[in-house]
Amino acid sequence: MNIFIGTSEVANIIHLYAEGFKQLGHKVTTCAKPHSFYKNKYDFDLSLPRWLLYLNKLSRINFLNNIVSKTIEKYELYRKERILEKIINETDIFIFVFDGFTPKSLFDYNYIKSKNKKIVSLFCGTEVRDWDAFSRAYKINIETIEKNSIDNILFNNKLFRLRKNELFSDAIYSLPDQSILGVRPYFEIKIPFISNKYSPEINNRTIPRIVHIPSKFPTKGTIYIQNAIEELRNQNIEFEFTIHNRLSNNEVINVLKDADILIDEVLLFGPGTLGMEAISC
């Protein structure tokens, strides 16, 4: 089969799924902006050209902000529409991570279905998770996690994205905590992972070294972790504890190899890629 995977890289999912499908003998086309953390290459690179990157700097000037953002939005939409036009006839299945080609309209999905192609939607979290609904469902004070939990514009964007995918997708993959607003059943999303690049190391320390590596503060529940750690210290339990921020992927792997325990996210459903990396180390 000819498989397309795009358009937003989240936790290396596009790259890893592409590698898996290629190993199964399928032809795969990828499309995304290279992630600053993983730095993979894609068949269609959605990075902004230099002239738009330069123009983007002008958005710091207040009266130019709206003009610049509209220009970038129109360029990205034009680019994605041209990519869709180029690949649609030779593609059998479109797998969308986070969003499709035209986020604010039904054009892309309507066009794909008019060609009798299949659509698979992968939801990874923030693109459809509503924090207010999350707070009500799980009885968590989300104000300690998300400062702007109630945002009408953001809510409407997420709801449109969710309903669009529910309307057109042949299959949806998601998790309970991010699908509270959903009305259609979904399959449980599985994290793609390649383990052969990792080598396990057991340190056998008497006093364990504990690490927490949040990719986004404070969404991973860091404040609750810090409170729990402080409570353990008050009980005179011996351990080392460090929070690491803004590490490259190679640096994360080195930290995990040297650690005895990883405290991963404690609020959201998982595990995610970090948890898989810790298990492999």
Side-chain angles (χ1 to χ4, degrees), residues 8 10 13 96-99 121-131 154-162 165 173-174 178 181 189:
S8 296
V10 179
I13 280 181
F96 289 116
V97 179
F98 200 95
D99 231 328
S121 300
L122 304 182
F123 293 144
C124 301
T126 56
E127 76 273 36
V128 291
R129 182 190 295 113
D130 177 65
W131 284 115
L154 198 58
F155 173 81
N156 289 333
N157 290 341
K158 291 182 177 185
L159 194 60
F160 176 80
R161 182 181 298 120
L162 181 61
N165 282 274
Y173 290 80
S174 189
Q178 61 200 32
L181 300 177
I189 190 170

Side-chain angles (χ1 to χ4, degrees), residues 146-256:
E146 182 67 26
K147 297 302 181 184
N148 300 310
S149 59
I150 301 177
D151 183 319
N152 289 334
I153 295 176
L154 198 58
F155 173 81
N156 289 333
N157 290 341
K158 291 182 177 185
L159 194 60
F160 176 80
R161 182 181 298 120
L162 181 61
R163 294 293 180 262
K164 174 182 174 180
N165 282 274
E166 289 181 323
L167 180 63
F168 288 97
S169 296
D170 295 279
I172 297 173
Y173 290 80
S174 189
L175 289 171
D177 71 306
Q178 61 200 32
S179 297
I180 299 169
L181 300 177
V183 295
R184 179 178 159 182
Y186 54 86
F187 298 101
E188 182 181 8
I189 190 170
K190 305 296 183 182
I191 300 295
F193 193 75
I194 298 174
S195 60
N196 57 14
K197 62 179 281 191
Y198 305 91
S199 55
E201 296 185 15
I202 308 300
N203 299 303
N204 290 320
R205 293 189 180 95
T206 303
I207 299 175
R209 181 167 295 169
I210 304 171
V211 297
H212 176 54
I213 315 175
S215 56
K216 181 182 178 182
F217 183 85
T219 309
K220 306 300 184 180
T222 302
I223 187 171
Y224 298 105
I225 292 169
Q226 289 174 311
N227 290 340
I229 287 293
E230 194 59 36
E231 190 172 322
L232 291 173
R233 281 180 172 148
N234 292 336
Q235 296 176 27
N236 296 319
I237 297 175
E238 291 188 280
F239 57 87
E240 298 177 25
F241 175 68
T242 310
I243 296 177
H244 297 271
N245 290 301
R246 299 178 181 177
L247 302 180
S248 68
N249 188 234
N250 287 334
E251 289 172 330
V252 167
I253 301 306
N254 290 333
V255 167
L256 292 174

